[in-house]
Every structure is written in structure tokens, then in C-alpha cells.
Amino acid sequence: MKILHVTAEYFPYIKAGGLADMVASLSKAQADEHSVYVALPLVKNLGKEPNWTGKTYTCYDPNGLSAISSASKHLREAQFREAKEGNCLLYFFESPFFSSKEFIYETGEEQYHFALFSYACHFLAEQVRADVLHAHDWHTAITVALQLYNPKPIPSVFTIHNLAYQGDFPYWKVGFLTEEPFHLVPSAFDHDGKCNFLKAGIVACDQLTTVSPGYKIETLQEPGGFGLSYILQKKGNRYLGILNGIDSDVWNPNSDPYLKTKFSSHNWKQGKTAAKKELYSKIGRPQISLNRPLLGLIGRLTYQKGYPSYVRAYQERRHLPFFHLALGAGDSELEQTFFHLSHTEPEQFYFYRGYSEELSHLIEAASDFFLMPSLFEPCGLNQMYSQVYGTVPIVSRVGGLKDTVFESGIHAQTGFVFEPNDSDSLGYALERAHTLYLSDKHDIVVKNMMSLDWSWTSPKKQYIQIYQNAISEKI
Ligand code: ADP
């Protein structure tokens, strides 16, 4: 099967969050058996230099584009540059609108930039003769919407990675959609008086997915649907939640290039202690005892991630001996709170503001526990990375977190679960984690976690089935 993924993020080239990891690892897993193409924007600061093949592709049909709109002119100025990544072929959309961007999501005319990219992807799908088009999130939804008016529509799958980001714009900002080459009717994608790109992808796609079964259920009711539950319900059995897999070449303590001492389930204690030592020396806190439990946190500092309840629990449970280590950037008030703790309580708390792949691997390896207090979480990846690194996740009972972390019940214990937005419940989970740390059961929980299989083997089969469903709808 020829599969074209269309995405704004792709690890390690462009990454803001889990979308990058998901598309990169899914496409890599699919490329074992299928022809996989990935279209992504070419931004200024790529995380890695692409392995260019020298081939280029146009972004418009010269016979079909008569000429005068700005979008037509901008598509003429753009091109796709092909590169090889493992068994996948990547198509970088080269346009001045992206090549000047330091970061993929900058404020500005994002609706126009991503619509141009989406149109170009629609034409690329025809050039590579894709059997199926798989678009991710609102940035690429217009590629799917264009299939509504395509005389030979390409079967399409649309994946929602986070309903909190919908790409909704006042009509005066999307007038270009009515012109050449789009010829779309923005009011067809109306939600609350705005043109909603995510809704366009949802209504237009043949098959819709999101990134965990638990999150799918939450999105079918408000407030989990962020206002779109009514339209999601209409998709019926054409809407499925498929849990993300992880890339075990990137996230594997036994081969992780960021770790000096690799480890597996046989020698995790030595491996994690070595990582802790290295981490403490790297952050300038070598005096912190290696015997104290380390609690790691990594993430975008946004409303979604629920950190305020963590800060309350931290202040209420000072008797617990955790050393807290947070990595992230975002909301300035939260950054200031974390900075304040880092400076005033250096024996308890350390905060690194920014983005660091290296530090994120080291934190996963060194931590004894990893906290994710999200208010909602479509899938979440760090809880799974934690488990394979022998780091016990402590998570709120939401979305993909509750699908992957179990504290009690029929499943073997693989973490701790508490109620979202509840500092008492979170604090009590920290108490239970500390008790585990002191007991022999810690070894059992680590063994349980390190034997979990979060590979793409099963989810990639589900995606192929979805693609086949999309194809058969078009026959
Ligand atoms: P989201 O997509 O909502 O940000 P996920 O848990 O799905 O959340 O994925 C987040 C990904 O981004 C993980 O791979 C995480 O390690 C990474 N990440 C987030 N913030 C940082 C950071 N400051 N430095 C390094 N990696 C980060």
C-alpha cells in the first residue's frame, strides 16, 4: 500500500510534542511492509540535516492553475524537496512562509501557511499516487477537505492528536479559501461562527481516529469534545481510538545514546543510579543523595498538563523526601513558580526551562517516579517511556494515561493513578509512591513495567485495517 502522511511535526526534524514522535514512529513501523511517504514543512531550524535525494516536486498542477490569486503565486514559488529517512521518503515543503520560521508554530497567518502546505500535499498525493492519505491535526485538515471536491478523491484518514487545538479562524481571515486553487466553502466548516479547520478534517475524512481508546470516549461528551462532540458522535463507527506505540530504537535504556551506562530489566538499579549521578552532576546538584527518590516531570507548561495541582501537593507534602526535577517551557506564571522553587529550595527542586532531548532521556532514565498530572491527555507518551525505563509513572485518571497505567484491579501494577485536578488525590499518590520506594514490591513493579510491549506491532495493524476501510468506502 502507498501511504502518504501529512504532518506539521516529525521527529527529529520538527518537534513540539507527541505528534512528532507519533508520526515518525508510526511511519517507520509501516515502512517495513508498505511504501511510506511523509510530507512536512521545511522550517529554518531543523533538528537534523535531511538526507536529500536531489529530487524535487511541484506543488500545483500547471494545467489546472490559471493564475491570479496570491495562493496560486505562492504555490508556484514553492516546491517539495525529497529526502530519505530509513525506509520512508520525506517531502519537505519549501516555501518562504516556512523557511523563515524559527519554530513551526509562530503566531501570524498560520491559517494561510498551513492551507498552502495542505494544498501542496493534496497535489503531492496525486503525484506519488498515494492509495491513502493520512493527515494529522488541524494544520493539514485542508488536504482532507480538498478531497470533497476532487473528481478522483483519495481515501483519507484523519487523526486528532489534541482537540484543544482546532485552528478556528474568523471568516475574514480565511477568505482565500474561496479562491483559486482551493475553491472551498468555509461556512461548511463552521463552528461557533468561525471557520474551524479541525472540523473540516473531521467531516471530510473517510475514517477518523484519535490516539487512545480512553480519549476517544471522553471526546464524545462535553467538555471532553471541546465543543465538537456532536460532530464526532456523527462519525459513528468511522471514529476509532488507537493507542500510540513508541519507537524502541529511540526510547530504549539498553541502547540509548544519551546514557553512559545502558541498562535493562536485569541491571536497572545500577543503570538508574549511574544515570542519577550523571544527571545531578549535569545540573550542578551533585550533593543530592542518590538514595533519595527522584521525581521527574517533563512537558509543555500549559493548562492541559495540570501542574497547579502538583504545586499545591508539593507544598502540602513537604515531609516526603523526593527530589523534584522539572523540564519544560510555556506558561510564564508556571515557569516563574518553578524558578522560584528551584532557587529558594535547591535541595528539593530543580527546574530547567527550555527544550532538551538529552535531558529528557536522562530524566527518564534517572528518575524513580515520573509525574503526569494532566487535566486531559489524548495519549501521553512519557508514561510509556517511563515504564520502559523502569520509572514508575504517577498519572491522573484521564485519556491515554488511564489506558496505559494501572495501579490495581485485574492488571499487574505498572504505576499510580489519582484523580485529575485534585491536589489531595495527587498528594496521596505521592505517599503511596514513597511507600513503594521503601518496599520490596518496587522491584516487582519495575519488572512488570519493563516487560510491557508498547511497540507499534499491534496498533500498526489497526491503522492498516482503517486504511482498508477508507479505500473500500471509495470503491
Ligand atoms: P504533548 O504532545 O501534549 O506535548 P505527549 O506526552 O504526547 O504530550 O508528548 C510530549 C513529547 O514531547 C514527549 O516526547 C516529551 O518527552 C517531549 N517534550 C515535551 N517537553 C519537552 C522538553 N521541554 N524537552 C524535551 N522534550 C520535551
Side-chain angles (χ1 to χ4, degrees), residues 31-86:
D32 289 347
E33 296 163 56
H34 303 276
S35 301
V36 182
Y37 313 108
V38 183
L40 67 164
L42 182 55
V43 294
K44 197 169 174 185
N45 294 329
L46 288 178
K48 173 183 164 188
E49 176 60 22
N51 181 11
W52 301 115
T53 64
K55 282 194 194 159
T56 59
Y57 291 77
T58 55
C59 299
Y60 64 97
D61 178 358
N63 302 318
L65 202 64
S66 64
I68 34 174
S69 73
S70 310
S72 302
K73 180 173 158 282
H74 294 143
L75 283 165
R76 279 208 178 82
E77 288 165 5
Q79 63 172 355
F80 279 107
R81 291 176 64 190
E82 190 184 79
K84 241 184 126 34
E85 173 70 30

Side-chain angles (χ1 to χ4, degrees), residues 9 11 15-22 161-162 165 211 244 251 297-302 304-305 307 326-329 352-361 363-364 370 372 374 376-383 385 401:
E9 296 182 37
F11 179 81
K15 174 166 168 176
L19 169 64
D21 289 9
M22 185 276 192
H161 292 256
N162 194 337
Y165 303 100
V211 288
N244 285 342
W251 290 98
L297 299 99
I298 304 170
R300 296 178 295 111
L301 303 184
T302 61
Q304 172 191 343
K305 302 297 177 180
Y307 291 121
L327 163 66
Y352 180 94
R353 180 193 171 278
Y355 186 92
S356 165
E357 277 296 322
E358 181 190 8
L359 211 47
S360 74
H361 281 249
I363 292 172
E364 281 294 8
F370 190 92
M372 297 177 79
S374 307
F376 61 95
E377 194 60 75
C379 176
L381 293 170
N382 278 106
Q383 80 280 15
Y385 299 154
L401 300 179

Side-chain angles (χ1 to χ4, degrees), residues 212-383:
S212 72
Y215 185 61
K216 181 211 150 173
I217 293 167
E218 288 172 11
T219 63
L220 292 173
Q221 304 293 334
E222 298 305 336
F226 281 84
L228 294 179
S229 59
Y230 71 102
I231 202 86
L232 294 169
Q233 286 167 14
K234 281 194 190 154
K235 296 301 276 194
N237 60 9
R238 292 191 299 142
Y239 178 33
L240 206 73
I242 302 177
L243 189 71
N244 285 342
I246 65 173
D247 186 341
S248 53
D249 290 337
V250 179
W251 290 98
N252 181 348
N254 218 357
S255 58
D256 191 324
Y258 293 114
L259 304 185
K260 286 201 185 110
T261 307
K262 322 280 180 217
F263 64 92
S264 68
S265 57
H266 304 296
N267 60 345
W268 62 272
K269 280 188 187 160
Q270 293 96 308
K272 290 182 79 66
T273 306
K276 226 185 220 183
K277 206 169 171 190
E278 195 187 335
L279 179 61
Y280 288 161
S281 118
K282 213 170 219 73
I283 63 170
R285 305 268 168 99
Q287 76 280 14
I288 306 295
S289 162
L290 300 177
N291 294 326
R292 280 176 67 185
L294 171 61
L295 180 76
L297 299 99
I298 304 170
R300 296 178 295 111
L301 303 184
T302 61
Y303 167 79
Q304 172 191 343
K305 302 297 177 180
Y307 291 121
S309 61
Y310 157 64
V311 174
R312 278 196 298 280
Y314 169 86
Q315 280 156 348
E316 286 160 9
R317 310 267 170 171
R318 288 182 178 280
H319 58 279
L320 292 172
F322 292 101
F323 183 70
H324 300 244
L325 205 162
L327 163 66
D331 179 82
S332 57
E333 214 170 298
L334 259 176
E335 285 183 358
Q336 274 169 25
T337 305
F338 282 0
F339 264 133
H340 181 73
L341 293 174
S342 196
H343 286 117
T344 56
E345 305 183 24
E347 299 298 312
Q348 318 298 332
F349 200 99
Y350 176 85
F351 173 49
Y352 180 94
R353 180 193 171 278
Y355 186 92
S356 165
E357 277 296 322
E358 181 190 8
L359 211 47
S360 74
H361 281 249
L362 214 46
I363 292 172
E364 281 294 8
S367 298
D368 301 294
F369 300 95
F370 190 92
L371 183 67
M372 297 177 79
S374 307
L375 303 182
F376 61 95
E377 194 60 75
C379 176
L381 293 170
N382 278 106
Q383 80 280 15

Side-chain angles (χ1 to χ4, degrees), residues 268-269 432-445:
W268 62 272
K269 280 188 187 160
R432 296 198 298 281
H434 179 231
T435 305
L436 180 80
Y437 186 72
L438 300 176
S439 82
D440 295 341
K441 203 179 164 203
H442 188 200
D443 292 30
I444 298 169
V445 174

Side-chain angles (χ1 to χ4, degrees), residues 136-161:
H136 301 265
D137 272 352
W138 75 263
H139 324 103
T140 57
I142 295 296
T143 318
V144 179
L146 287 163
Q147 304 314 313
L148 290 173
Y149 305 96
N150 186 352
K152 285 193 198 152
I154 298 167
S156 60
V157 175
F158 185 57
T159 296
I160 300 169
H161 292 256

